[in-house]
Amino acid sequence: MKRRVLGAGLALLAIGALATPTDAAGKKLTIALIPGLTTDAFYITMHKGAQAAADALGDTLVFQGAPDFNPVVQVPVLDAVIARHPDAILIAPTDKVQLVQPLKKAIDAGIKVITVDTFIGTGKYQTGSGDADFPLSYVASDNILGGQIAARALAKAIGDKGKVYVSNVKPGVSTTDQREEGFKDEMKNHPGITVLETQYNDDDANKAASQLQSVLARNPDLAGVFGANLFSALGAANGVKQGGAAGRIKVAAFDAPKSIVGQLKSGLVDMAIAQHPAEIGYFGVVAAHAYLNGQSIPTAIGTGFTVITKDNVDDPNVSRFLYSE
Ligand code: T6T
């Protein structure tokens, strides 16, 4: 409820800013959006939401990113964006620590920074503590809650007993770290369930699929898997299928690309937690615009989830949260 109210408040700020433009010298703002990677349906959908807000506000949106979810390729993109000197940068940092110094360069250049989806440091900004509290705001899903939702659903699907594991990207990514944390915390309430060691796939679905098969070979009684992001879930589900265990090993998927629909309907995937990336992009742009027009903005803006199963996937109020491709 609180999140909705925050969102509505920002929308009003935006309308106010539109009615009485106060941009310096009447200039339109240029806002850059740097995704975790460019080819991920999650960020493609975020881009659409950001573009919708930029169009409504008369701002220019620049979308520039790297082909992989990796700080080694994201930092040069960030440097190139800083050199173009936009008014604000919205970025999904691909590492909590490794993006701190590179983002300080943006601040030093007078560019406002908001993080979307992922955070740097602790994700608590403008507190005056630590060396990574300088972004103005963090716009994202509640990823701990998302992990808890996945754990509850998976526990129910496996009858509250058996072995499960988390298929995850790599340590140091704020979102997927928090999903794993929420998942494991919730599983403490399910003593009949054993959580096996996490498997890290570097955001590579093929790796996630072969890891599923290895875990299954070591644990023929494997009952379920939580895919902590789009590629982890896609890969884990493919691994289940290739292992001939569709329907027997339950799959809880984070993220909801359109390709998940067939997997939900066939029973390969039990549930998908759709984030609302278009809202993340939309409110990121609105927040940047509001701030640069002299408004105050919240240091954290939360967006919601839609839990998708085979029973509700055909409902247009649910399917509209499937990601664009
Ligand atoms: O799950 C999303 C995003 O929230 C995460 O930070 C990285 O992976 C995705 O982009 C999905 O691939």
Side-chain angles (χ1 to χ4, degrees), residues 150-261:
R152 269 181 232 125
L154 192 58
K156 193 170 170 203
I158 65 175
D160 239 356
K161 60 176 188 304
K163 293 177 185 167
V164 302
Y165 79 95
V166 183
S167 174
N168 210 343
V169 179
K170 60 187 150 194
V173 180
S174 71
T175 46
T176 47
D177 282 357
Q178 287 194 323
R179 290 169 203 163
E180 181 173 339
E181 184 187 332
F183 182 87
K184 288 182 170 167
D185 276 354
E186 174 60 28
M187 281 307 189
K188 289 182 188 146
N189 301 323
H190 301 269
I193 296 177
T194 306
V195 182
L196 303 173
E197 198 186 341
T198 296
Q199 303 294 306
Y200 293 108
N201 55 53
D202 289 319
D203 222 20
D204 178 344
N206 290 331
K207 205 162 164 183
S210 57
Q211 286 170 339
L212 185 292
Q213 304 226 31
S214 308
V215 175
L216 181 56
R218 293 194 295 273
N219 302 275
D221 55 346
L222 182 69
V225 58
F226 168 40
N229 84 331
L230 193 153
F231 300 102
S232 306
L234 192 74
N238 283 339
V240 167
K241 194 173 175 187
Q242 288 154 12
R248 178 167 69 75
I249 297 176
K250 305 297 180 187
V251 180
F254 216 91
D255 291 312
K258 290 211 166 73
S259 58
I260 207 98
V261 175

Side-chain angles (χ1 to χ4, degrees), residues 35-37 39-44 46 69 92-94 116-119 138 140-141 143 169 173-177 179 203 227-232 254-257 273 275 277 280 323:
L37 74 163
T39 54
D40 178 334
F42 173 83
Y43 295 112
I44 292 170
M46 184 189 290
F69 193 92
T94 47
V116 286
D117 176 44
T118 43
F119 60 71
Y138 171 50
S141 310
N143 288 289
V169 179
V173 180
S174 71
T175 46
T176 47
D177 282 357
R179 290 169 203 163
D203 222 20
N229 84 331
L230 193 153
F231 300 102
S232 306
F254 216 91
D255 291 312
I273 301 175
Q275 303 186 75
I280 297 175
Y323 302 169

Side-chain angles (χ1 to χ4, degrees), residues 15 66 77 87-88 92 96 104 113 132 148 154 160-161 231 234 272 275 298 301:
I15 291 161
V77 171
D87 297 291
K96 281 185 280 203
K104 275 196 178 139
V113 173
Q148 290 166 341
L154 192 58
D160 239 356
K161 60 176 188 304
F231 300 102
L234 192 74
Q275 303 186 75
I301 299 170

